[in-house]
mmCIF file of all heavy atoms in Angstrom:
data_model
loop_
_atom_site.group_PDB
_atom_site.id
_atom_site.type_symbol
_atom_site.label_atom_id
_atom_site.label_comp_id
_atom_site.label_asym_id
_atom_site.label_seq_id
_atom_site.Cartn_x
_atom_site.Cartn_y
_atom_site.Cartn_z
ATOM 1 N N TYR B 1218 -6.106 10.446 -15.690
ATOM 2 C CA TYR B 1218 -5.983 10.857 -14.299
ATOM 3 C C TYR B 1218 -5.155 12.143 -14.218
ATOM 4 O O TYR B 1218 -4.161 12.288 -14.922
ATOM 5 C CB TYR B 1218 -5.290 9.765 -13.475
ATOM 6 C CG TYR B 1218 -5.778 8.366 -13.747
ATOM 7 C CD1 TYR B 1218 -4.985 7.462 -14.461
ATOM 8 C CD2 TYR B 1218 -7.025 7.939 -13.306
ATOM 9 C CE1 TYR B 1218 -5.413 6.172 -14.716
ATOM 10 C CE2 TYR B 1218 -7.464 6.638 -13.562
ATOM 11 C CZ TYR B 1218 -6.654 5.765 -14.269
ATOM 12 O OH TYR B 1218 -7.081 4.489 -14.537
ATOM 13 N N HIS B 1219 -5.554 13.043 -13.339
ATOM 14 C CA HIS B 1219 -4.844 14.315 -13.171
ATOM 15 C C HIS B 1219 -4.164 14.337 -11.797
ATOM 16 O O HIS B 1219 -4.833 14.237 -10.761
ATOM 17 C CB HIS B 1219 -5.816 15.494 -13.263
ATOM 18 C CG HIS B 1219 -6.327 15.754 -14.641
ATOM 19 N ND1 HIS B 1219 -6.089 16.931 -15.322
ATOM 20 C CD2 HIS B 1219 -7.068 14.983 -15.481
ATOM 21 C CE1 HIS B 1219 -6.671 16.871 -16.513
ATOM 22 N NE2 HIS B 1219 -7.281 15.704 -16.630
ATOM 23 N N PHE B 1220 -2.841 14.487 -11.806
ATOM 24 C CA PHE B 1220 -2.060 14.545 -10.573
ATOM 25 C C PHE B 1220 -1.285 15.862 -10.499
ATOM 26 O O PHE B 1220 -0.839 16.383 -11.521
ATOM 27 C CB PHE B 1220 -1.044 13.405 -10.506
ATOM 28 C CG PHE B 1220 -1.624 12.026 -10.596
ATOM 29 C CD1 PHE B 1220 -1.595 11.327 -11.800
ATOM 30 C CD2 PHE B 1220 -2.173 11.407 -9.483
ATOM 31 C CE1 PHE B 1220 -2.109 10.042 -11.888
ATOM 32 C CE2 PHE B 1220 -2.690 10.125 -9.558
ATOM 33 C CZ PHE B 1220 -2.659 9.437 -10.762
ATOM 34 N N GLU B 1221 -1.092 16.344 -9.288
ATOM 35 C CA GLU B 1221 -0.182 17.466 -9.039
ATOM 36 C C GLU B 1221 0.910 16.963 -8.100
ATOM 37 O O GLU B 1221 0.616 16.480 -7.002
ATOM 38 C CB GLU B 1221 -0.901 18.646 -8.411
ATOM 39 C CG GLU B 1221 0.022 19.818 -8.116
ATOM 40 C CD GLU B 1221 -0.675 20.943 -7.365
ATOM 41 O OE1 GLU B 1221 -1.909 20.886 -7.194
ATOM 42 O OE2 GLU B 1221 0.040 21.876 -6.926
ATOM 43 N N VAL B 1222 2.169 17.069 -8.518
ATOM 44 C CA VAL B 1222 3.292 16.549 -7.738
ATOM 45 C C VAL B 1222 3.730 17.596 -6.723
ATOM 46 O O VAL B 1222 3.982 18.748 -7.086
ATOM 47 C CB VAL B 1222 4.477 16.172 -8.647
ATOM 48 C CG1 VAL B 1222 5.566 15.483 -7.836
ATOM 49 C CG2 VAL B 1222 4.012 15.288 -9.795
ATOM 50 N N GLN B 1223 3.817 17.192 -5.462
ATOM 51 C CA GLN B 1223 4.228 18.121 -4.410
ATOM 52 C C GLN B 1223 5.565 17.744 -3.781
ATOM 53 O O GLN B 1223 6.233 18.592 -3.196
ATOM 54 C CB GLN B 1223 3.120 18.187 -3.346
ATOM 55 C CG GLN B 1223 1.827 18.734 -3.955
ATOM 56 C CD GLN B 1223 0.673 18.788 -2.976
ATOM 57 O OE1 GLN B 1223 0.527 17.906 -2.144
ATOM 58 N NE2 GLN B 1223 -0.153 19.816 -3.095
ATOM 59 N N GLU B 1224 5.950 16.479 -3.892
ATOM 60 C CA GLU B 1224 7.254 16.018 -3.422
ATOM 61 C C GLU B 1224 7.760 14.963 -4.392
ATOM 62 O O GLU B 1224 6.967 14.286 -5.046
ATOM 63 C CB GLU B 1224 7.161 15.413 -2.010
ATOM 64 C CG GLU B 1224 6.721 16.378 -0.934
ATOM 65 C CD GLU B 1224 6.557 15.680 0.414
ATOM 66 O OE1 GLU B 1224 6.770 14.447 0.475
ATOM 67 O OE2 GLU B 1224 6.195 16.371 1.388
ATOM 68 N N SER B 1225 9.080 14.818 -4.480
ATOM 69 C CA SER B 1225 9.637 13.764 -5.324
ATOM 70 C C SER B 1225 9.290 12.403 -4.729
ATOM 71 O O SER B 1225 9.037 12.274 -3.523
ATOM 72 C CB SER B 1225 11.151 13.917 -5.462
ATOM 73 O OG SER B 1225 11.767 13.865 -4.192
ATOM 74 N N LEU B 1226 9.291 11.371 -5.579
ATOM 75 C CA LEU B 1226 8.826 10.044 -5.184
ATOM 76 C C LEU B 1226 9.851 8.967 -5.539
ATOM 77 O O LEU B 1226 9.578 8.083 -6.357
ATOM 78 C CB LEU B 1226 7.488 9.741 -5.870
ATOM 79 C CG LEU B 1226 6.329 10.612 -5.403
ATOM 80 C CD1 LEU B 1226 5.604 11.214 -6.595
ATOM 81 C CD2 LEU B 1226 5.373 9.810 -4.557
ATOM 82 N N PRO B 1227 11.035 9.006 -4.944
ATOM 83 C CA PRO B 1227 12.049 7.997 -5.283
ATOM 84 C C PRO B 1227 11.589 6.591 -4.919
ATOM 85 O O PRO B 1227 11.209 6.313 -3.782
ATOM 86 C CB PRO B 1227 13.260 8.427 -4.439
ATOM 87 C CG PRO B 1227 12.679 9.232 -3.320
ATOM 88 C CD PRO B 1227 11.497 9.937 -3.903
ATOM 89 N N GLY B 1228 11.601 5.719 -5.904
ATOM 90 C CA GLY B 1228 11.245 4.329 -5.672
ATOM 91 C C GLY B 1228 9.771 4.020 -5.743
ATOM 92 O O GLY B 1228 9.379 2.847 -5.733
ATOM 93 N N TRP B 1229 8.909 5.029 -5.851
ATOM 94 C CA TRP B 1229 7.460 4.793 -5.861
ATOM 95 C C TRP B 1229 6.964 4.535 -7.275
ATOM 96 O O TRP B 1229 7.530 5.036 -8.255
ATOM 97 C CB TRP B 1229 6.730 5.977 -5.251
ATOM 98 C CG TRP B 1229 6.959 6.116 -3.789
ATOM 99 C CD1 TRP B 1229 7.937 6.851 -3.181
ATOM 100 C CD2 TRP B 1229 6.234 5.467 -2.736
ATOM 101 N NE1 TRP B 1229 7.855 6.714 -1.822
ATOM 102 C CE2 TRP B 1229 6.822 5.877 -1.512
ATOM 103 C CE3 TRP B 1229 5.146 4.599 -2.715
ATOM 104 C CZ2 TRP B 1229 6.344 5.440 -0.284
ATOM 105 C CZ3 TRP B 1229 4.674 4.165 -1.485
ATOM 106 C CH2 TRP B 1229 5.270 4.575 -0.283
ATOM 107 N N ARG B 1230 5.874 3.768 -7.354
ATOM 108 C CA ARG B 1230 5.255 3.459 -8.646
ATOM 109 C C ARG B 1230 3.735 3.556 -8.522
ATOM 110 O O ARG B 1230 3.181 3.427 -7.431
ATOM 111 C CB ARG B 1230 5.662 2.062 -9.116
ATOM 112 C CG ARG B 1230 7.174 1.906 -9.262
ATOM 113 C CD ARG B 1230 7.569 0.570 -9.813
ATOM 114 N NE ARG B 1230 9.013 0.401 -9.817
ATOM 115 C CZ ARG B 1230 9.658 -0.631 -10.337
ATOM 116 N NH1 ARG B 1230 8.977 -1.636 -10.883
ATOM 117 N NH2 ARG B 1230 10.981 -0.692 -10.314
ATOM 118 N N LEU B 1231 3.104 3.764 -9.657
ATOM 119 C CA LEU B 1231 1.643 3.872 -9.701
ATOM 120 C C LEU B 1231 1.032 2.489 -9.880
ATOM 121 O O LEU B 1231 1.543 1.669 -10.647
ATOM 122 C CB LEU B 1231 1.246 4.769 -10.871
ATOM 123 C CG LEU B 1231 -0.261 4.924 -11.145
ATOM 124 C CD1 LEU B 1231 -0.920 5.752 -10.046
ATOM 125 C CD2 LEU B 1231 -0.474 5.579 -12.509
ATOM 126 N N PHE B 1232 -0.072 2.226 -9.161
ATOM 127 C CA PHE B 1232 -0.829 1.008 -9.428
ATOM 128 C C PHE B 1232 -2.285 1.373 -9.703
ATOM 129 O O PHE B 1232 -2.801 2.373 -9.190
ATOM 130 C CB PHE B 1232 -0.724 -0.004 -8.278
ATOM 131 C CG PHE B 1232 -1.396 0.409 -6.984
ATOM 132 C CD1 PHE B 1232 -2.756 0.220 -6.786
ATOM 133 C CD2 PHE B 1232 -0.652 0.962 -5.947
ATOM 134 C CE1 PHE B 1232 -3.372 0.580 -5.590
ATOM 135 C CE2 PHE B 1232 -1.253 1.321 -4.742
ATOM 136 C CZ PHE B 1232 -2.624 1.133 -4.570
ATOM 137 N N VAL B 1233 -2.946 0.565 -10.533
ATOM 138 C CA VAL B 1233 -4.354 0.754 -10.872
ATOM 139 C C VAL B 1233 -5.039 -0.600 -10.775
ATOM 140 O O VAL B 1233 -4.632 -1.554 -11.450
ATOM 141 C CB VAL B 1233 -4.530 1.335 -12.291
ATOM 142 C CG1 VAL B 1233 -6.013 1.516 -12.610
ATOM 143 C CG2 VAL B 1233 -3.797 2.668 -12.432
ATOM 144 N N HIS B 1234 -6.080 -0.683 -9.958
ATOM 145 C CA HIS B 1234 -6.801 -1.936 -9.750
ATOM 146 C C HIS B 1234 -8.276 -1.761 -10.076
ATOM 147 O O HIS B 1234 -8.846 -0.689 -9.852
ATOM 148 C CB HIS B 1234 -6.669 -2.412 -8.303
ATOM 149 C CG HIS B 1234 -5.271 -2.736 -7.890
ATOM 150 N ND1 HIS B 1234 -4.879 -2.836 -6.571
ATOM 151 C CD2 HIS B 1234 -4.147 -2.971 -8.627
ATOM 152 C CE1 HIS B 1234 -3.594 -3.134 -6.506
ATOM 153 N NE2 HIS B 1234 -3.125 -3.207 -7.739
ATOM 154 N N LEU B 1235 -8.875 -2.821 -10.593
ATOM 155 C CA LEU B 1235 -10.317 -2.869 -10.822
ATOM 156 C C LEU B 1235 -10.871 -3.960 -9.907
ATOM 157 O O LEU B 1235 -10.502 -5.129 -10.027
ATOM 158 C CB LEU B 1235 -10.624 -3.175 -12.289
ATOM 159 C CG LEU B 1235 -12.107 -3.138 -12.686
ATOM 160 C CD1 LEU B 1235 -12.675 -1.728 -12.477
ATOM 161 C CD2 LEU B 1235 -12.289 -3.568 -14.144
ATOM 162 N N LEU B 1236 -11.746 -3.550 -8.990
ATOM 163 C CA LEU B 1236 -12.264 -4.451 -7.965
ATOM 164 C C LEU B 1236 -13.755 -4.648 -8.173
ATOM 165 O O LEU B 1236 -14.504 -3.667 -8.282
ATOM 166 C CB LEU B 1236 -11.993 -3.872 -6.578
ATOM 167 C CG LEU B 1236 -10.548 -3.415 -6.338
ATOM 168 C CD1 LEU B 1236 -10.446 -2.604 -5.072
ATOM 169 C CD2 LEU B 1236 -9.617 -4.618 -6.293
ATOM 170 N N GLY B 1237 -14.199 -5.907 -8.245
ATOM 171 C CA GLY B 1237 -15.587 -6.162 -8.572
ATOM 172 C C GLY B 1237 -16.239 -7.242 -7.736
ATOM 173 O O GLY B 1237 -15.677 -7.699 -6.734
ATOM 174 N N PRO B 1238 -17.435 -7.686 -8.171
ATOM 175 C CA PRO B 1238 -18.187 -8.685 -7.410
ATOM 176 C C PRO B 1238 -17.449 -10.019 -7.316
ATOM 177 O O PRO B 1238 -16.591 -10.336 -8.146
ATOM 178 C CB PRO B 1238 -19.480 -8.834 -8.234
ATOM 179 C CG PRO B 1238 -19.553 -7.615 -9.082
ATOM 180 C CD PRO B 1238 -18.137 -7.228 -9.365
ATOM 181 N N ASN B 1239 -17.797 -10.771 -6.301
ATOM 182 C CA ASN B 1239 -17.249 -12.123 -6.106
ATOM 183 C C ASN B 1239 -15.728 -12.137 -6.007
ATOM 184 O O ASN B 1239 -15.075 -13.070 -6.468
ATOM 185 C CB ASN B 1239 -17.715 -13.062 -7.234
ATOM 186 C CG ASN B 1239 -19.228 -13.100 -7.369
ATOM 187 O OD1 ASN B 1239 -19.950 -13.083 -6.370
ATOM 188 N ND2 ASN B 1239 -19.708 -13.135 -8.608
ATOM 189 N N GLY B 1240 -15.158 -11.067 -5.444
ATOM 190 C CA GLY B 1240 -13.717 -11.010 -5.272
ATOM 191 C C GLY B 1240 -12.941 -10.730 -6.539
ATOM 192 O O GLY B 1240 -11.723 -10.947 -6.581
ATOM 193 N N PHE B 1241 -13.608 -10.227 -7.587
ATOM 194 C CA PHE B 1241 -12.904 -9.940 -8.848
ATOM 195 C C PHE B 1241 -11.793 -8.921 -8.616
ATOM 196 O O PHE B 1241 -11.976 -7.914 -7.928
ATOM 197 C CB PHE B 1241 -13.869 -9.407 -9.902
ATOM 198 C CG PHE B 1241 -13.169 -8.977 -11.171
ATOM 199 C CD1 PHE B 1241 -12.916 -9.896 -12.175
ATOM 200 C CD2 PHE B 1241 -12.737 -7.665 -11.341
ATOM 201 C CE1 PHE B 1241 -12.248 -9.511 -13.339
ATOM 202 C CE2 PHE B 1241 -12.071 -7.274 -12.495
ATOM 203 C CZ PHE B 1241 -11.827 -8.209 -13.485
ATOM 204 N N TYR B 1242 -10.626 -9.181 -9.242
ATOM 205 C CA TYR B 1242 -9.484 -8.279 -9.144
ATOM 206 C C TYR B 1242 -8.806 -8.191 -10.499
ATOM 207 O O TYR B 1242 -8.408 -9.209 -11.073
ATOM 208 C CB TYR B 1242 -8.491 -8.794 -8.093
ATOM 209 C CG TYR B 1242 -7.135 -8.130 -8.124
ATOM 210 C CD1 TYR B 1242 -6.931 -6.897 -7.509
ATOM 211 C CD2 TYR B 1242 -6.060 -8.738 -8.763
ATOM 212 C CE1 TYR B 1242 -5.684 -6.303 -7.527
ATOM 213 C CE2 TYR B 1242 -4.810 -8.145 -8.786
ATOM 214 C CZ TYR B 1242 -4.625 -6.926 -8.166
ATOM 215 O OH TYR B 1242 -3.399 -6.325 -8.205
ATOM 216 N N GLY B 1243 -8.691 -6.975 -11.028
ATOM 217 C CA GLY B 1243 -7.971 -6.753 -12.277
ATOM 218 C C GLY B 1243 -6.838 -5.780 -12.056
ATOM 219 O O GLY B 1243 -7.016 -4.740 -11.414
ATOM 220 N N ASN B 1244 -5.656 -6.129 -12.564
ATOM 221 C CA ASN B 1244 -4.472 -5.298 -12.392
ATOM 222 C C ASN B 1244 -4.196 -4.550 -13.692
ATOM 223 O O ASN B 1244 -3.960 -5.167 -14.733
ATOM 224 C CB ASN B 1244 -3.272 -6.170 -12.011
ATOM 225 C CG ASN B 1244 -2.056 -5.341 -11.622
ATOM 226 O OD1 ASN B 1244 -1.771 -4.321 -12.232
ATOM 227 N ND2 ASN B 1244 -1.336 -5.781 -10.616
ATOM 228 N N PHE B 1245 -4.204 -3.215 -13.609
ATOM 229 C CA PHE B 1245 -3.935 -2.374 -14.778
ATOM 230 C C PHE B 1245 -2.765 -1.425 -14.501
ATOM 231 O O PHE B 1245 -2.763 -0.275 -14.950
ATOM 232 C CB PHE B 1245 -5.199 -1.602 -15.173
ATOM 233 C CG PHE B 1245 -6.314 -2.475 -15.667
ATOM 234 C CD1 PHE B 1245 -7.282 -2.947 -14.788
ATOM 235 C CD2 PHE B 1245 -6.391 -2.855 -16.992
ATOM 236 C CE1 PHE B 1245 -8.313 -3.763 -15.229
ATOM 237 C CE2 PHE B 1245 -7.416 -3.675 -17.447
ATOM 238 C CZ PHE B 1245 -8.388 -4.135 -16.560
ATOM 239 N N ASP B 1246 -1.777 -1.945 -13.773
ATOM 240 C CA ASP B 1246 -0.579 -1.143 -13.501
ATOM 241 C C ASP B 1246 0.107 -0.769 -14.811
ATOM 242 O O ASP B 1246 0.094 -1.543 -15.782
ATOM 243 C CB ASP B 1246 0.411 -1.930 -12.639
ATOM 244 C CG ASP B 1246 -0.130 -2.207 -11.237
ATOM 245 O OD1 ASP B 1246 -1.280 -1.829 -10.966
ATOM 246 O OD2 ASP B 1246 0.604 -2.804 -10.440
ATOM 247 N N HIS B 1247 0.734 0.400 -14.844
ATOM 248 C CA HIS B 1247 1.422 0.859 -16.047
ATOM 249 C C HIS B 1247 2.369 1.990 -15.678
ATOM 250 O O HIS B 1247 2.279 2.560 -14.595
ATOM 251 C CB HIS B 1247 0.407 1.347 -17.090
ATOM 252 C CG HIS B 1247 -0.404 2.522 -16.611
ATOM 253 N ND1 HIS B 1247 -1.469 2.377 -15.738
ATOM 254 C CD2 HIS B 1247 -0.291 3.849 -16.857
ATOM 255 C CE1 HIS B 1247 -1.988 3.567 -15.477
ATOM 256 N NE2 HIS B 1247 -1.289 4.488 -16.124
ATOM 257 N N VAL B 1248 3.278 2.301 -16.578
ATOM 258 C CA VAL B 1248 4.160 3.459 -16.419
ATOM 259 C C VAL B 1248 3.412 4.685 -16.942
ATOM 260 O O VAL B 1248 2.911 4.674 -18.073
ATOM 261 C CB VAL B 1248 5.483 3.264 -17.182
ATOM 262 C CG1 VAL B 1248 6.355 4.518 -17.079
ATOM 263 C CG2 VAL B 1248 6.226 2.045 -16.651
ATOM 264 N N PRO B 1249 3.289 5.737 -16.141
ATOM 265 C CA PRO B 1249 2.467 6.891 -16.536
ATOM 266 C C PRO B 1249 2.925 7.575 -17.817
ATOM 267 O O PRO B 1249 4.052 7.430 -18.267
ATOM 268 C CB PRO B 1249 2.597 7.829 -15.326
ATOM 269 C CG PRO B 1249 2.917 6.929 -14.187
ATOM 270 C CD PRO B 1249 3.792 5.852 -14.764
ATOM 271 N N VAL B 1250 1.974 8.345 -18.367
ATOM 272 C CA VAL B 1250 2.183 9.146 -19.577
ATOM 273 C C VAL B 1250 2.613 8.235 -20.723
ATOM 274 O O VAL B 1250 3.615 8.468 -21.396
ATOM 275 C CB VAL B 1250 3.183 10.302 -19.342
ATOM 276 C CG1 VAL B 1250 3.164 11.287 -20.511
ATOM 277 C CG2 VAL B 1250 2.871 11.051 -18.050
ATOM 278 N N ASP B 1251 1.862 7.172 -20.924
ATOM 279 C CA ASP B 1251 2.121 6.215 -22.007
ATOM 280 C C ASP B 1251 3.555 5.708 -21.973
ATOM 281 O O ASP B 1251 4.201 5.537 -23.014
ATOM 282 C CB ASP B 1251 1.816 6.847 -23.371
ATOM 283 C CG ASP B 1251 0.328 7.051 -23.587
ATOM 284 O OD1 ASP B 1251 -0.462 6.238 -23.072
ATOM 285 O OD2 ASP B 1251 -0.053 8.032 -24.261
ATOM 286 N N GLY B 1252 4.080 5.487 -20.773
ATOM 287 C CA GLY B 1252 5.417 4.934 -20.615
ATOM 288 C C GLY B 1252 6.544 5.943 -20.634
ATOM 289 O O GLY B 1252 7.710 5.568 -20.458
ATOM 290 N N ALA B 1253 6.229 7.227 -20.813
ATOM 291 C CA ALA B 1253 7.285 8.233 -20.996
ATOM 292 C C ALA B 1253 7.775 8.865 -19.698
ATOM 293 O O ALA B 1253 8.863 9.443 -19.665
ATOM 294 C CB ALA B 1253 6.800 9.338 -21.932
ATOM 295 N N HIS B 1254 6.975 8.770 -18.615
ATOM 296 C CA HIS B 1254 7.330 9.542 -17.416
ATOM 297 C C HIS B 1254 7.065 8.727 -16.149
ATOM 298 O O HIS B 1254 6.050 8.910 -15.481
ATOM 299 C CB HIS B 1254 6.522 10.843 -17.395
ATOM 300 C CG HIS B 1254 7.092 11.916 -16.529
ATOM 301 N ND1 HIS B 1254 8.449 12.126 -16.364
ATOM 302 C CD2 HIS B 1254 6.480 12.867 -15.757
ATOM 303 C CE1 HIS B 1254 8.639 13.156 -15.561
ATOM 304 N NE2 HIS B 1254 7.462 13.609 -15.159
ATOM 305 N N PRO B 1255 7.997 7.816 -15.795
ATOM 306 C CA PRO B 1255 7.820 7.021 -14.570
ATOM 307 C C PRO B 1255 7.696 7.909 -13.334
ATOM 308 O O PRO B 1255 8.227 9.025 -13.296
ATOM 309 C CB PRO B 1255 9.104 6.178 -14.511
ATOM 310 C CG PRO B 1255 9.658 6.200 -15.897
ATOM 311 C CD PRO B 1255 9.254 7.505 -16.488
ATOM 312 N N VAL B 1256 6.999 7.406 -12.333
ATOM 313 C CA VAL B 1256 6.809 8.156 -11.092
ATOM 314 C C VAL B 1256 8.145 8.575 -10.499
ATOM 315 O O VAL B 1256 8.270 9.654 -9.911
ATOM 316 C CB VAL B 1256 5.999 7.310 -10.091
ATOM 317 C CG1 VAL B 1256 5.895 8.010 -8.736
ATOM 318 C CG2 VAL B 1256 4.601 7.031 -10.649
ATOM 319 N N GLU B 1257 9.177 7.729 -10.655
ATOM 320 C CA GLU B 1257 10.527 8.058 -10.172
ATOM 321 C C GLU B 1257 10.993 9.428 -10.652
ATOM 322 O O GLU B 1257 11.781 10.091 -9.973
ATOM 323 C CB GLU B 1257 11.520 7.009 -10.696
ATOM 324 C CG GLU B 1257 11.456 5.670 -9.997
ATOM 325 C CD GLU B 1257 12.398 5.606 -8.803
ATOM 326 O OE1 GLU B 1257 12.989 6.646 -8.484
ATOM 327 O OE2 GLU B 1257 12.518 4.533 -8.208
ATOM 328 N N ARG B 1258 10.533 9.844 -11.824
ATOM 329 C CA ARG B 1258 11.041 11.069 -12.437
ATOM 330 C C ARG B 1258 10.101 12.256 -12.262
ATOM 331 O O ARG B 1258 10.380 13.341 -12.777
ATOM 332 C CB ARG B 1258 11.312 10.816 -13.923
ATOM 333 C CG ARG B 1258 12.397 9.771 -14.132
ATOM 334 C CD ARG B 1258 12.616 9.452 -15.576
ATOM 335 N NE ARG B 1258 13.595 8.369 -15.721
ATOM 336 C CZ ARG B 1258 13.823 7.709 -16.843
ATOM 337 N NH1 ARG B 1258 13.137 8.000 -17.939
ATOM 338 N NH2 ARG B 1258 14.728 6.744 -16.886
ATOM 339 N N TRP B 1259 9.015 12.071 -11.563
ATOM 340 C CA TRP B 1259 8.128 13.191 -11.316
ATOM 341 C C TRP B 1259 8.837 14.221 -10.452
ATOM 342 O O TRP B 1259 9.549 13.886 -9.500
ATOM 343 C CB TRP B 1259 6.861 12.721 -10.622
ATOM 344 C CG TRP B 1259 5.949 11.893 -11.494
ATOM 345 C CD1 TRP B 1259 6.232 11.362 -12.712
ATOM 346 C CD2 TRP B 1259 4.612 11.498 -11.175
ATOM 347 N NE1 TRP B 1259 5.150 10.656 -13.192
ATOM 348 C CE2 TRP B 1259 4.147 10.717 -12.272
ATOM 349 C CE3 TRP B 1259 3.766 11.703 -10.095
ATOM 350 C CZ2 TRP B 1259 2.875 10.160 -12.300
ATOM 351 C CZ3 TRP B 1259 2.498 11.154 -10.109
ATOM 352 C CH2 TRP B 1259 2.042 10.397 -11.205
ATOM 353 N N GLN B 1260 8.612 15.494 -10.777
ATOM 354 C CA GLN B 1260 9.264 16.585 -10.056
ATOM 355 C C GLN B 1260 8.221 17.470 -9.390
ATOM 356 O O GLN B 1260 7.141 17.698 -9.941
ATOM 357 C CB GLN B 1260 10.104 17.426 -11.024
ATOM 358 C CG GLN B 1260 11.236 16.670 -11.698
ATOM 359 C CD GLN B 1260 12.259 16.162 -10.703
ATOM 360 O OE1 GLN B 1260 12.618 16.871 -9.766
ATOM 361 N NE2 GLN B 1260 12.728 14.934 -10.892
ATOM 362 N N PRO B 1261 8.517 17.980 -8.180
ATOM 363 C CA PRO B 1261 7.576 18.877 -7.509
ATOM 364 C C PRO B 1261 7.178 20.041 -8.408
ATOM 365 O O PRO B 1261 8.011 20.653 -9.067
ATOM 366 C CB PRO B 1261 8.363 19.352 -6.287
ATOM 367 C CG PRO B 1261 9.319 18.233 -6.003
ATOM 368 C CD PRO B 1261 9.720 17.709 -7.362
ATOM 369 N N GLY B 1262 5.876 20.318 -8.412
ATOM 370 C CA GLY B 1262 5.349 21.399 -9.242
ATOM 371 C C GLY B 1262 4.805 20.936 -10.575
ATOM 372 O O GLY B 1262 4.056 21.677 -11.232
ATOM 373 N N GLN B 1263 5.167 19.736 -11.013
ATOM 374 C CA GLN B 1263 4.625 19.214 -12.273
ATOM 375 C C GLN B 1263 3.163 18.824 -12.107
ATOM 376 O O GLN B 1263 2.744 18.347 -11.048
ATOM 377 C CB GLN B 1263 5.418 18.004 -12.744
ATOM 378 C CG GLN B 1263 6.807 18.284 -13.249
ATOM 379 C CD GLN B 1263 7.506 17.033 -13.739
ATOM 380 O OE1 GLN B 1263 7.182 15.920 -13.327
ATOM 381 N NE2 GLN B 1263 8.494 17.202 -14.608
#
């Protein structure tokens, strides 16, 4: 996924869901950049 940060995000986190037939729900939440760069630490312009 490609993101451009425009404002800091204190307290925010990324979620990823897979939604399918018959009410299927899969949760693929994770810390971005293979765990190295939580959303909390994203800086404007990155």
Side-chain angles (χ1 to χ4, degrees):
Y1218 316 107
H1219 288 242
F1220 302 100
E1221 179 186 352
V1222 187
Q1223 297 178 323
E1224 297 176 359
S1225 59
L1226 293 130
W1229 291 91
R1230 301 184 186 185
L1231 176 71
F1232 68 83
V1233 180
H1234 297 162
L1235 185 62
L1236 310 168
N1239 305 321
F1241 175 87
Y1242 167 82
N1244 188 320
F1245 294 93
D1246 294 3
H1247 62 282
V1248 176
V1250 192
D1251 289 328
H1254 200 35
V1256 175
E1257 285 270 6
R1258 297 177 184 168
W1259 290 11
Q1260 298 297 319
Q1263 289 182 336

